[in-house]
Amino acid sequence: MSRLSGFTNRWLVFLTALVLWQLATAASDNVFFPTPWQIIHHGWSLWFTTADGGFGLSDSIFEDVLPSTARAVGGWAIAAAIGITLGAALGRSRTGMQYVEPLFAFFRALPSPALLPVFIGLIGIGSDMKLSLIAFSCIWPVLMNTVDGVRSVDSVKTDTARSFGTPRTQWVAMVVLPAALPKIFAGLRLSLSIAVILMVVSELVGESSGIGANLVDAKAAFDFLSMWAWIVLIGIIGYVLNLALLAVERRALRWQPTRAAVASAKQTTKAGG
Amino acid sequence: MPTMLEVRGLAHRYGSYAAVENLSFTVAEDELACIVGPSGCGKSTLLRCVAGLIKPTAGGVTLHGDPVDGVPADLAVVFQDYSRSLFPWLSVRGNVEFPLRTRVSNRTERRKRAEEALAWVGLEAAGSKYPWQLSGGMQQRVSIARALACKPALLLMDEPFASVDAQTRADLEDLLLRVRREHGSTVLLVTHDIDESVYLGDRVLVLSKSPASIVADLTVTLPAQRDQIATRGSARFVELRTEIARLLHDRPGAPPPPNAANSDALAAERFLAAEREEARQQSSH
Amino acid sequence: MRPFVRGLIGLGVLLLVWDGVVRLGLVAADNLPPPAEVGARLVDLLGQEEFLRDVVATVLAWLIAVAVAVAIAVPAGLILGTIPSVRTATRMLIEFLRPIPPVALIPLTMIVVGSGPDAKIFLAVYASIWPILFNIIYALDDIDPLLLDTARSFGHRRARVLATVALPHVAPFAFTGLRLSAAIALIVTVSTEYLAASELGVGAFIITVSNSPNSMDDVLAGALVIGVLGYLVNEVLERAGRRMFRWSDTTRAEALT
């Protein structure tokens, strides 16, 4: 019951905001601010209308939306793989980390969009450059969080595993990584939002395909309707990717109790004797 | 009865601080020996030396004749802090199967052994739950099942019942007595509770304040079948208890300093810190 | 060896590898100048008033952005965290706004407020509100009910419970949020300068010099300044947080954002 009302409540406010936006923009009639209805309508014609005017996925989906999204997800996945592996290795060695910690913290603090000229210089304009820039920017939060998580393994669990003569691979796979998982996921989420930013940024120069390129082109052509449509699309992509990652996280961290669940579990065990 | 565990001239120092000094004792097969001593006296250090978790500064430990160097394969430890010792990301069954992964290669066999061990402690229905869904006493029963599932030659228990309430504690004590009778386990149990040591033990080793050394080795001449009310009320029980209490508190030549409790806690704290430091250095190399 | 010395060794090795890669001709020196050249350029730049003005412009915009973000996010977080109905009501809106990357809003911001300092401040505020806001909300969720009951058992009223129990509990988490926000705000400030073609700021400097040939030493020197700035801010805030909230276990705080 409360769940249902919560659900309607959420969407109600969202829809109300949408309606208000519609009314305000329609009333002001400003070219900079098209109404949400116009934006949706335009987005439909951009992405869901084929060349002959019928319904279907447009060329823009295959030439702009999918390649851009694939680069963001791909770069992020590369960063995740490298970051977790390297982080798990470095987190086990305190001295090893001391050599590289300031450097990594520095890389994390670098505003990666400013590195775009460097990456263009080194790799050239192209998919490889974009992918590398995204991966480079996404690595640091995952890496640092993995190191943190791996270090936070409880001393009693360490002793327990040692007292059972646990071999190294089992120790890493079944104790260290699960213990570090909540932190790793926090890093992955941060990285994902960075990946979406860099997806846009990496397309701002050189080429004319991709989400970011279209956004800039629309602005340069004073095509505010398209600009808005692309901005909304980026928001939706960010939202969906985040949602997907949350679903994976929820599954992977299923074992983690919420405070409410712990409280109710205690109640039932007490009541049951 | 053959000797299962032999500790000879064991000493452990953290820097210049001696936690354990020249300790020697043996535990026979099938025996349940309790070590009782004031808190912070080095009991845990002793237990960790026996478990091979830390290397003693001097002396040696042998388990069924083999010198202990590193953690022996057929040894299991039950820690006091069950909430930190159980792996929260594994189900109850997963926790019990954890040590079996290296010992039993067959998956179904492993599953069977885990179910069996859970049945011994009366948790056959809880296998698919996560530890936090169980009460404290049940969680500690899971750790006991996990330790027993390996069929260890020696079961070490570090204050296993110190973190549960009194009723649960009595239940767990009886559970331990039952499973060890059924499986003929050899148990070395560390406790600071005099009553518990007498109630559970075939023998009680009384430790002095740090550096720990053995003050007395008492054989508990109580009937093998113990009962929470009858045994604890028997004259022999009270006698033993009083004797140990006297040994612990009025040791001739070692009057307790006025702030004894405080300094004990401090010593325990110091040991723990020193030990962590040591473990850290070991793991980083 | 002290950690500091180890850090220096790590830095030294990186510089040597960098230098070696350029010397061996693995990459063209035009694309990646050797470290000595970048260092010399950096020293040179730090003596130029124009460049220093850029640095000051960036730092100033960044400071204002963080201050505004705190002023918005802290009250908002406290309200959303304590009044469930407000929270459920705004949830969809927030969940939709949060993942919109600030750079996607650059074109829009440029149209509305131009490419002056307002634009970068606005975008930096937008980006840096979230970590503080969410850290506060989740921290309020996470208060041990026992603590609240204890406070109530002493007969404290709701407002007092909030002040004596909730705020101290929330403070370290909010501070962790602030640290993350500060880092993000700096990145967004520079990115906006860079992408929105601002007139002042380190980002603007980088975009201007990157258009002329053989200017990679300038680009790297500019990036270096920002990186060091971000690193120092993070370090200072982390140390301050550890000092101020010694009683608290904030290791979990970062996992919340």
Side-chain angles (χ1 to χ4, degrees), chain A residues 13 98 111 113 121 219 224 259, chain C residues 6 31 89 110-111 142 191 226:
Chain A
V13 172
Q98 281 171 355
K219 190 205 149 227
F224 299 119
R259 195 181 284 280
Chain C
R6 291 208 170 97
N31 293 334
M110 281 172 71
I111 291 168
D142 205 48
S191 300
I226 297 304

Side-chain angles (χ1 to χ4, degrees), chain A residues 170-195:
Chain A
Q170 189 191 348
W171 155 248
V172 171
M174 292 187 69
V175 182
V176 176
L177 283 181
L181 219 49
K183 276 241 152 195
I184 294 178
F185 267 106
L188 286 175
R189 245 179 298 145
L190 195 61
S191 285
L192 191 61
S193 51
I194 292 176

Side-chain angles (χ1 to χ4, degrees), chain B residues 206-251:
Chain B
V206 184
L207 286 194
S208 68
K209 288 211 174 68
S210 65
S213 60
I214 295 200
V215 188
D217 180 347
L218 305 170
T219 306
V220 178
T221 49
L222 286 168
Q225 189 71 45
R226 313 268 162 107
D227 177 86
Q228 287 286 356
I229 294 162
T231 306
R232 282 179 195 268
S234 71
R236 182 67 194 133
F237 183 91
V238 177
E239 237 171 74
L240 276 164
R241 194 182 91 182
T242 317
E243 190 178 348
I244 295 170
R246 196 165 289 135
L247 282 164
L248 280 175
H249 295 295
D250 321 317
R251 261 190 66 221

Side-chain angles (χ1 to χ4, degrees), chain A residues 117-195:
Chain A
V118 182
F119 273 78
I120 293 175
L122 287 176
I123 307 176
I125 293 179
S127 239
D128 286 353
M129 179 276 288
K130 294 169 188 165
L131 206 61
S132 322
L133 182 61
I134 294 171
F136 177 85
S137 319
C138 291
I139 272 187
W140 312 112
V142 183
L143 179 62
M144 300 299 262
N145 271 34
T146 307
V147 168
D148 257 14
V150 163
R151 275 184 186 167
S152 66
V153 180
D154 184 87
S155 58
V156 177
K157 288 187 184 64
T158 311
D159 280 349
T160 305
R162 281 182 66 207
S163 74
F164 287 125
T166 312
R168 208 172 170 76
T169 44
Q170 189 191 348
W171 155 248
V172 171
M174 292 187 69
V175 182
V176 176
L177 283 181
L181 219 49
K183 276 241 152 195
I184 294 178
F185 267 106
L188 286 175
R189 245 179 298 145
L190 195 61
S191 285
L192 191 61
S193 51
I194 292 176

Side-chain angles (χ1 to χ4, degrees), chain C residues 59-215:
Chain C
V59 171
L60 217 55
W62 166 73
L63 279 177
I64 296 171
V66 171
V68 175
V70 169
I72 297 174
V74 171
L78 289 176
I79 290 170
L80 289 175
T82 42
I83 309 173
S85 58
V86 179
R87 176 140 157 227
T88 39
T90 50
R91 191 155 162 185
M92 266 316 287
L93 217 54
I94 290 176
E95 275 181 19
F96 186 77
L97 283 178
R98 176 159 75 136
I100 297 180
V103 289
L105 297 177
I106 287 179
L108 178 67
T109 317
M110 281 172 71
I111 291 168
V112 181
V113 296
S115 56
D118 295 357
K120 53 187 173 190
I121 292 173
F122 170 78
L123 287 171
V125 168
Y126 166 80
S128 52
I129 277 180
W130 310 114
I132 305 177
L133 185 72
F134 280 92
N135 261 310
I136 292 178
I137 294 178
Y138 290 136
L140 283 169
D141 277 358
D142 205 48
I143 296 183
D144 193 337
L146 195 67
L147 278 180
L148 293 179
D149 288 347
T150 311
R152 273 193 212 111
S153 74
F154 290 128
H156 288 346
R157 286 166 171 282
R158 194 186 160 98
R160 225 190 117 121
V161 170
L162 193 67
T164 53
V165 181
L167 285 184
H169 173 85
V170 166
F173 291 85
F175 196 81
T176 306
L178 172 70
R179 190 160 59 79
L180 295 172
S181 287
I184 292 170
L186 185 63
I187 291 180
V188 172
T189 306
V190 176
S191 300
T192 313
E193 290 167 351
Y194 175 78
L195 298 169
S198 303
E199 279 162 27
L200 270 180
V202 182
F205 167 80
I206 291 176
I207 190 79
T208 316
V209 295
S210 71
N211 286 329
S212 51
N214 289 336
S215 58

Side-chain angles (χ1 to χ4, degrees), chain A:
Chain A
M1 182 58 216
S2 71
R3 215 183 135 141
L4 186 72
S5 72
F7 180 80
T8 43
N9 210 346
R10 275 163 65 176
W11 284 99
L12 199 71
V13 172
F14 181 66
L15 289 175
T16 314
L18 211 57
V19 170
L20 283 179
W21 181 14
Q22 172 77 31
L23 293 176
T25 45
S28 76
D29 202 25
N30 186 328
V31 281
F32 293 157
F33 293 98
T35 65
W37 177 249
Q38 285 173 308
I39 297 170
I40 292 168
H41 194 77
H42 189 70
W44 186 268
S45 71
L46 272 177
W47 302 304
F48 297 105
T49 312
T50 50
D52 50 28
F55 168 73
L57 295 179
S58 72
D59 290 347
S60 177
I61 289 270
F62 296 103
E63 282 160 20
D64 303 315
V65 180
L66 289 179
S68 287
T69 314
R71 274 195 295 268
V73 174
W76 173 80
I78 293 170
I82 299 176
I84 293 173
T85 317
L86 207 59
L90 283 171
R92 296 315 300 160
S93 150
R94 198 160 288 260
T95 49
M97 194 57 196
Q98 281 171 355
Y99 287 101
V100 286
E101 195 159 10
L103 286 179
F104 289 176
F106 168 77
F107 284 131
R108 185 174 54 173
L110 268 183
S112 353
L115 292 177
L116 186 58
V118 182
F119 273 78
I120 293 175
L122 287 176
I123 307 176
I125 293 179
S127 239
D128 286 353
M129 179 276 288
K130 294 169 188 165
L131 206 61
S132 322
L133 182 61
I134 294 171
F136 177 85
S137 319
C138 291
I139 272 187
W140 312 112
V142 183
L143 179 62
M144 300 299 262
N145 271 34
T146 307
V147 168
D148 257 14
V150 163
R151 275 184 186 167
S152 66
V153 180
D154 184 87
S155 58
V156 177
K157 288 187 184 64
T158 311
D159 280 349
T160 305
R162 281 182 66 207
S163 74
F164 287 125
T166 312
R168 208 172 170 76
T169 44
Q170 189 191 348
W171 155 248
V172 171
M174 292 187 69
V175 182
V176 176
L177 283 181
L181 219 49
K183 276 241 152 195
I184 294 178
F185 267 106
L188 286 175
R189 245 179 298 145
L190 195 61
S191 285
L192 191 61
S193 51
I194 292 176
V196 176
I197 295 180
L198 268 297
M199 169 187 88
V200 177
V201 170
S202 66
E203 293 167 350
L204 293 182
V205 285
E207 276 168 58
S208 58
S209 76
I211 295 174
N214 274 285
L215 183 65
V216 178
D217 288 351
K219 190 205 149 227
F222 300 102
D223 179 0
F224 299 119
L225 203 51
S226 295
M227 193 187 84
W228 272 99
W230 286 107
I231 289 175
V232 169
L233 181 72
I234 293 167
I236 292 173
I237 289 175
Y239 181 71
V240 170
L241 289 181
N242 194 45
L243 212 62
L245 182 62
L246 271 180
V248 174
E249 175 176 346
R250 223 165 271 148
R251 241 197 110 67
L253 300 182
R254 207 170 20 175
W255 50 270
Q256 269 199 330
T258 58
R259 195 181 284 280
V262 172
S264 81
K266 277 198 183 128
Q267 291 271 304
T268 43
T269 45
K270 260 192 197 135

